[in-house]
Amino acid sequence: MLEAKSLTKAVVPSTLIPNPSPANLHSSRLALHVSDDGSSCWVYIASGRHIYKLQIPFEDSLVSKGKESLLIPIHAEVMDSFLVNRCPHRSEIQGIVLQESESTGYLMLGSVDSYGDLIVSKLDTNGKDVDRLTYTVSPRDHGVGESSWAGLCFSPTQWSMAAVALNFSKTVDIYDQDIHVQTLRTVNLTHIYRLLYPSALSFMQNLHSGNESSILAVAEGCQLTIWDLRMKENGGCLQRICGSVGDIYYAVCSSSTGNIAVGGADRTVTIYDPRRWSALSRWVNCSKYEITGLSFSSIDPDYIYIQGVDYEVLCGHWKARNKLFAFRGDSNWLGFSKCHNRDVLGGWCDSGSIFVADVVAKESEIKEDFDNESTISSVNSSP
């Protein structure tokens, strides 16, 4: 079982961002990672055409709960904040992603704007530029179309591979650094003239090969589509799962075990098994409003974090469909994200407040597991 170790609230200095830009309903303009010493975290937020960076400390005081298992935050001061020094976008940023690579020790910071322009920077774990490696990629239509929501995700095993989705263009473009590899057309295969709008995307682990991530999950309209980047048949579309007609999906994610979660306007989280393409669980009405963010726990993939469009984030067991705890911002979310390999969550409100939650495994269960391992070791070592 999980428990919240800390919940910190900090306010973005008004001198840094006087008035945040609104972006799209389900745009995610926050990314974060924990510092090397584990005492604080670096938070990246995007407003307008720029990205800003803030350092927020973790508070060690005990977390108290209010009504409905709501966590009460501890106030903290921003330790450091500044504008990220790189080329600004030509339009409003719709999403930022921070990809951590355990093998190389680098961070990949990517951002995409409303016309599909992509900028990627290579950083070290302290957030500094490494060899000033930054590249930009323009959309295939050179940005002459209409601006809309745009999403971005990196391959978890190939840091150079990225996927960019454009809502109004109804396309998903795959890039290897600044080289365009292919374009996925989000077309309904049974009704060729009915085009659907992508609203979320995420790479997932390929359960068959296990050594590369070539499977991409895309939420488009009321459907979840699975794409194999190596396949040529059907344009690479491997599977198409239809949800409730008229209910748009806004969030999709995958767990370390390969399960896929999707949620949206119907306020329901559905977990799919990619081996049979069947629903393992449906957590109906788990959120008060539309779901715009999902992330499986890195500690225990049986738990999932759910972000509502208003100001609430909850953690629950998706198999038992039980809520464990929740916390609320003081206004609507402008961005929500979870660390790549830790259960550290961050949310940014349009009031300027940033909430950071550090979630760990329950100490009683850790002690029980340690005692069991000690017992097994003693039995194996006895004559």
Side-chain angles (χ1 to χ4, degrees):
M1 185 177 290
L2 307 179
E3 64 178 357
K5 180 181 178 182
S6 66
L7 177 61
T8 306
K9 175 184 177 181
V11 179
V12 179
S14 58
T15 55
L16 186 69
I17 307 178
N19 297 298
S21 62
N24 200 279
L25 174 69
H26 58 289
S27 296
S28 182
R29 294 178 294 160
L30 180 144
L32 74 165
H33 76 95
V34 179
S35 61
D36 293 336
D37 58 7
S39 63
S40 63
C41 71
W42 289 101
V43 179
Y44 295 82
I45 56 178
S47 178
R49 302 184 299 126
H50 300 277
I51 295 179
Y52 305 86
K53 182 180 176 182
L54 305 93
Q55 186 178 15
I56 299 176
F58 289 125
E59 298 295 333
D60 294 331
S61 57
L62 295 177
V63 179
S64 57
K65 291 185 178 181
K67 295 181 179 180
E68 301 178 357
S69 301
L70 288 176
L71 305 180
I72 300 176
I74 303 298
H75 293 263
E77 296 293 331
V78 175
M79 300 171 61
D80 194 10
S81 62
F82 51 87
L83 172 69
V84 176
N85 184 22
R86 68 172 189 167
C87 178
H89 282 265
R90 70 186 184 101
S91 63
E92 184 185 30
I93 297 175
Q94 295 293 312
I96 60 176
V97 175
L98 195 65
Q99 179 71 27
E100 301 184 37
S101 175
E102 298 178 357
S103 58
T104 62
Y106 296 138
L107 303 173
M108 301 304 299
L109 175 63
S111 57
V112 61
D113 63 26
S114 57
Y115 285 96
D117 287 298
L118 170 67
I119 300 180
V120 179
S121 301
K122 189 177 182 181
L123 313 173
D124 65 7
T125 54
N126 292 323
K128 298 180 181 179
D129 291 341
V130 175
D131 298 331
R132 298 194 177 277
L133 173 60
T134 298
Y135 61 86
T136 63
V137 182
S138 297
R140 301 294 291 170
D141 61 0
H142 305 287
V144 298
E146 188 175 356
S147 64
S148 64
W149 173 88
L152 165 69
C153 67
F154 286 107
S155 168
T157 57
Q158 297 177 333
W159 65 266
S160 61
M161 180 172 289
V164 176
L166 276 175
N167 187 269
F168 281 176
S169 299
K170 305 172 188 174
T171 59
V172 177
D173 291 302
I174 311 299
Y175 298 97
D176 187 355
Q177 288 197 12
D178 57 348
I179 301 175
H180 182 265
V181 178
Q182 64 183 115
T183 297
L184 307 178
R185 300 286 178 179
T186 53
V187 181
N188 189 306
L189 300 180
T190 58
H191 300 85
I192 193 67
Y193 296 107
R194 181 185 175 189
L195 304 183
L196 302 179
Y197 298 91
S199 52
L201 72 169
S202 175
F203 276 102
M204 60 174 291
Q205 181 66 33
N206 186 349
L207 299 180
H208 300 289
S209 64
N211 57 3
E212 62 177 350
S213 182
S214 61
I215 308 299
L216 184 67
V218 180
E220 45 173 294
C222 60
Q223 299 183 359
L224 171 66
T225 53
I226 310 299
W227 303 78
D228 190 341
L229 305 183
R230 303 163 303 174
M231 192 174 72
K232 299 300 181 183
E233 295 81 4
N234 295 329
C237 186
L238 186 65
Q239 185 72 24
R240 187 176 295 272
I241 304 172
C242 297
S244 301
V245 177
D247 291 330
I248 300 175
Y249 287 140
Y250 291 124
V252 63
C253 69
S254 63
S255 69
S256 57
T257 58
N259 294 329
I260 304 173
V262 65
D266 59 354
R267 302 183 292 120
T268 298
V269 173
T270 306
I271 312 295
Y272 290 101
D273 182 358
R275 293 169 297 183
R276 299 188 299 267
W277 302 117
S278 59
L280 295 175
S281 174
R282 282 180 58 84
W283 192 354
V284 180
N285 298 332
C286 58
S287 176
K288 187 178 296 184
Y289 297 98
E290 293 94 331
I291 296 171
T292 55
L294 291 173
S295 183
F296 283 99
S297 168
S298 299
I299 301 173
D300 187 348
D302 288 342
Y303 289 88
I304 190 169
Y305 301 102
I306 304 170
Q307 175 214 357
V309 73
D310 54 345
Y311 50 81
E312 185 172 0
V313 173
L314 66 92
C315 173
H317 195 283
W318 57 265
K319 289 183 177 179
R321 297 185 285 275
N322 290 329
K323 182 172 74 170
L324 184 61
F325 60 82
F327 66 91
R328 291 176 179 173
D330 51 18
S331 57
N332 292 345
W333 297 115
L334 294 180
F336 169 78
S337 182
K338 173 187 161 296
C339 279
H340 171 65
N341 55 0
R342 286 189 56 174
D343 280 23
V344 177
L345 313 173
W348 175 37
C349 300
D350 59 11
S351 63
S353 301
I354 293 179
F355 293 81
V356 178
D358 186 9
V359 182
V360 296
K362 206 166 187 178
E363 291 186 2
S364 59
E365 294 187 356
I366 295 177
K367 184 179 183 301
E368 183 179 347
D369 292 340
F370 178 77
D371 293 340
N372 292 337
E373 291 179 0
S374 300
T375 303
I376 295 173
S377 299
S378 61
V379 170
N380 293 335
S381 60
S382 61

Short mmCIF file of all heavy atoms in Angstrom, two decimals, residues 30-35 41-42 58 98 100 295-298 337-346 356-357:
data_model
loop_
_atom_site.label_atom_id
_atom_site.label_comp_id
_atom_site.label_asym_id
_atom_site.label_seq_id
_atom_site.Cartn_x
_atom_site.Cartn_y
_atom_site.Cartn_z
N LEU A 30 3.61 20.98 -17.23
CA LEU A 30 4.48 20.82 -16.06
C LEU A 30 5.24 19.52 -16.17
O LEU A 30 4.70 18.49 -16.58
CB LEU A 30 3.65 20.84 -14.77
CG LEU A 30 4.43 20.69 -13.46
CD1 LEU A 30 3.80 21.53 -12.35
CD2 LEU A 30 4.48 19.22 -13.01
N ALA A 31 6.52 19.56 -15.81
CA ALA A 31 7.36 18.37 -15.73
C ALA A 31 8.30 18.55 -14.55
O ALA A 31 8.65 19.69 -14.19
CB ALA A 31 8.16 18.17 -17.02
N LEU A 32 8.70 17.46 -13.92
CA LEU A 32 9.53 17.58 -12.73
C LEU A 32 10.43 16.37 -12.56
O LEU A 32 10.18 15.30 -13.12
CB LEU A 32 8.67 17.77 -11.49
CG LEU A 32 7.89 16.57 -10.91
CD1 LEU A 32 7.41 16.89 -9.50
CD2 LEU A 32 6.70 16.21 -11.78
N HIS A 33 11.52 16.57 -11.81
CA HIS A 33 12.39 15.47 -11.41
C HIS A 33 13.04 15.82 -10.09
O HIS A 33 13.21 17.00 -9.73
CB HIS A 33 13.46 15.17 -12.49
CG HIS A 33 14.58 16.16 -12.53
ND1 HIS A 33 15.77 15.96 -11.85
CD2 HIS A 33 14.70 17.35 -13.15
CE1 HIS A 33 16.57 17.00 -12.06
NE2 HIS A 33 15.95 17.84 -12.85
N VAL A 34 13.40 14.79 -9.33
CA VAL A 34 13.95 14.96 -7.99
C VAL A 34 15.44 15.26 -8.09
O VAL A 34 16.15 14.72 -8.94
CB VAL A 34 13.71 13.70 -7.14
CG1 VAL A 34 14.28 13.85 -5.74
CG2 VAL A 34 12.22 13.40 -7.08
N SER A 35 15.94 16.16 -7.23
CA SER A 35 17.35 16.51 -7.21
C SER A 35 18.19 15.32 -6.78
O SER A 35 17.68 14.34 -6.23
CB SER A 35 17.59 17.69 -6.27
OG SER A 35 17.21 17.36 -4.94
N CYS A 41 12.95 19.16 -5.46
CA CYS A 41 12.69 18.75 -6.84
C CYS A 41 12.71 19.98 -7.73
O CYS A 41 12.41 21.10 -7.29
CB CYS A 41 11.36 18.00 -6.96
SG CYS A 41 9.90 19.03 -6.75
N TRP A 42 13.09 19.77 -8.97
CA TRP A 42 13.09 20.82 -9.98
C TRP A 42 11.79 20.69 -10.78
O TRP A 42 11.45 19.62 -11.28
CB TRP A 42 14.29 20.68 -10.91
CG TRP A 42 15.59 21.03 -10.25
CD1 TRP A 42 16.53 20.17 -9.77
CD2 TRP A 42 16.10 22.35 -10.03
NE1 TRP A 42 17.59 20.87 -9.25
CE2 TRP A 42 17.36 22.20 -9.39
CE3 TRP A 42 15.63 23.63 -10.30
CZ2 TRP A 42 18.14 23.30 -9.03
CZ3 TRP A 42 16.40 24.71 -9.93
CH2 TRP A 42 17.64 24.55 -9.30
N PHE A 58 11.31 19.60 -0.34
CA PHE A 58 10.40 18.64 0.28
C PHE A 58 10.30 18.95 1.77
O PHE A 58 11.31 19.15 2.44
CB PHE A 58 10.87 17.20 0.08
CG PHE A 58 10.74 16.70 -1.32
CD1 PHE A 58 11.83 16.18 -2.00
CD2 PHE A 58 9.52 16.74 -1.98
CE1 PHE A 58 11.71 15.71 -3.29
CE2 PHE A 58 9.39 16.28 -3.27
CZ PHE A 58 10.49 15.77 -3.93
N LEU A 98 9.58 15.68 -19.67
CA LEU A 98 10.96 15.50 -19.19
C LEU A 98 11.23 14.00 -19.13
O LEU A 98 10.64 13.29 -18.32
CB LEU A 98 11.12 16.14 -17.81
CG LEU A 98 12.55 16.35 -17.32
CD1 LEU A 98 13.29 17.35 -18.21
CD2 LEU A 98 12.56 16.82 -15.88
N GLU A 100 13.75 10.95 -18.41
CA GLU A 100 14.97 10.62 -17.68
C GLU A 100 15.53 9.31 -18.21
O GLU A 100 14.79 8.35 -18.42
CB GLU A 100 14.69 10.49 -16.18
CG GLU A 100 14.14 11.76 -15.56
CD GLU A 100 13.96 11.63 -14.06
OE1 GLU A 100 14.83 10.99 -13.43
OE2 GLU A 100 12.98 12.16 -13.53
N SER A 295 -1.63 8.39 -14.48
CA SER A 295 -0.27 7.87 -14.34
C SER A 295 -0.27 6.71 -13.36
O SER A 295 -0.78 6.84 -12.24
CB SER A 295 0.69 8.97 -13.87
OG SER A 295 2.01 8.49 -13.82
N PHE A 296 0.30 5.57 -13.78
CA PHE A 296 0.43 4.43 -12.89
C PHE A 296 1.54 4.70 -11.87
O PHE A 296 2.51 5.42 -12.14
CB PHE A 296 0.77 3.16 -13.68
CG PHE A 296 -0.40 2.55 -14.38
CD1 PHE A 296 -0.60 2.77 -15.73
CD2 PHE A 296 -1.29 1.74 -13.69
CE1 PHE A 296 -1.68 2.18 -16.38
CE2 PHE A 296 -2.37 1.15 -14.33
CZ PHE A 296 -2.56 1.38 -15.68
N SER A 297 1.40 4.08 -10.70
CA SER A 297 2.43 4.19 -9.67
C SER A 297 3.67 3.41 -10.09
O SER A 297 3.57 2.31 -10.63
CB SER A 297 1.89 3.66 -8.34
OG SER A 297 2.93 3.50 -7.40
N SER A 298 4.84 3.99 -9.82
CA SER A 298 6.11 3.28 -10.08
C SER A 298 6.42 2.29 -8.97
O SER A 298 7.18 1.34 -9.19
CB SER A 298 7.25 4.29 -10.20
OG SER A 298 7.04 5.19 -11.26
N SER A 337 1.94 16.25 -13.62
CA SER A 337 2.91 15.27 -14.09
C SER A 337 3.42 14.45 -12.92
O SER A 337 3.28 14.84 -11.76
CB SER A 337 4.08 15.97 -14.80
OG SER A 337 5.01 15.01 -15.29
N LYS A 338 4.04 13.32 -13.26
CA LYS A 338 4.68 12.44 -12.28
C LYS A 338 6.10 12.16 -12.72
O LYS A 338 6.38 12.07 -13.92
CB LYS A 338 3.88 11.15 -12.16
CG LYS A 338 4.52 10.07 -11.30
CD LYS A 338 3.74 8.78 -11.39
CE LYS A 338 4.56 7.60 -10.94
NZ LYS A 338 5.72 7.35 -11.81
N CYS A 339 7.00 12.03 -11.76
CA CYS A 339 8.38 11.69 -12.08
C CYS A 339 8.46 10.36 -12.81
O CYS A 339 7.61 9.49 -12.63
CB CYS A 339 9.23 11.64 -10.81
SG CYS A 339 9.78 13.24 -10.22
N HIS A 340 9.52 10.21 -13.59
CA HIS A 340 9.67 9.04 -14.44
C HIS A 340 9.76 7.75 -13.63
O HIS A 340 9.08 6.77 -13.93
CB HIS A 340 10.91 9.20 -15.32
CG HIS A 340 11.29 7.97 -16.08
ND1 HIS A 340 10.49 7.44 -17.07
CD2 HIS A 340 12.37 7.15 -15.99
CE1 HIS A 340 11.07 6.35 -17.56
NE2 HIS A 340 12.20 6.15 -16.92
N ASN A 341 10.57 7.71 -12.58
CA ASN A 341 10.81 6.48 -11.85
C ASN A 341 10.53 6.60 -10.35
O ASN A 341 10.98 5.76 -9.57
CB ASN A 341 12.25 6.01 -12.06
CG ASN A 341 13.25 7.10 -11.69
OD1 ASN A 341 12.86 8.19 -11.28
ND2 ASN A 341 14.53 6.81 -11.82
N ARG A 342 9.84 7.64 -9.94
CA ARG A 342 9.48 7.82 -8.55
C ARG A 342 8.05 8.33 -8.46
O ARG A 342 7.53 8.95 -9.39
CB ARG A 342 10.42 8.82 -7.85
CG ARG A 342 11.79 8.28 -7.54
CD ARG A 342 12.57 9.25 -6.67
NE ARG A 342 11.87 9.58 -5.43
CZ ARG A 342 12.41 10.32 -4.46
NH1 ARG A 342 13.63 10.80 -4.60
NH2 ARG A 342 11.73 10.57 -3.36
N ASP A 343 7.41 8.05 -7.33
CA ASP A 343 6.05 8.53 -7.13
C ASP A 343 6.06 9.92 -6.52
O ASP A 343 5.64 10.14 -5.38
CB ASP A 343 5.28 7.56 -6.24
CG ASP A 343 4.78 6.35 -7.01
OD1 ASP A 343 5.37 6.05 -8.06
OD2 ASP A 343 3.80 5.71 -6.57
N VAL A 344 6.58 10.87 -7.28
CA VAL A 344 6.57 12.28 -6.93
C VAL A 344 5.69 12.99 -7.95
O VAL A 344 5.97 12.97 -9.15
CB VAL A 344 7.98 12.89 -6.92
CG1 VAL A 344 7.92 14.39 -6.63
CG2 VAL A 344 8.84 12.19 -5.86
N LEU A 345 4.60 13.59 -7.48
CA LEU A 345 3.62 14.23 -8.35
C LEU A 345 3.71 15.74 -8.23
O LEU A 345 4.01 16.27 -7.16
CB LEU A 345 2.20 13.78 -7.98
CG LEU A 345 1.96 12.29 -7.75
CD1 LEU A 345 0.57 12.07 -7.22
CD2 LEU A 345 2.17 11.52 -9.02
N GLY A 346 3.44 16.42 -9.32
CA GLY A 346 3.43 17.87 -9.31
C GLY A 346 2.25 18.41 -10.09
O GLY A 346 1.87 17.87 -11.14
N VAL A 356 3.39 19.74 -4.75
CA VAL A 356 4.29 18.61 -4.98
C VAL A 356 4.04 17.58 -3.89
O VAL A 356 4.16 17.88 -2.70
CB VAL A 356 5.77 19.04 -4.98
CG1 VAL A 356 6.67 17.83 -5.17
CG2 VAL A 356 6.04 20.07 -6.06
N ALA A 357 3.69 16.36 -4.30
CA ALA A 357 3.41 15.26 -3.36
C ALA A 357 4.46 14.18 -3.53
O ALA A 357 4.75 13.75 -4.65
CB ALA A 357 2.02 14.70 -3.59
#
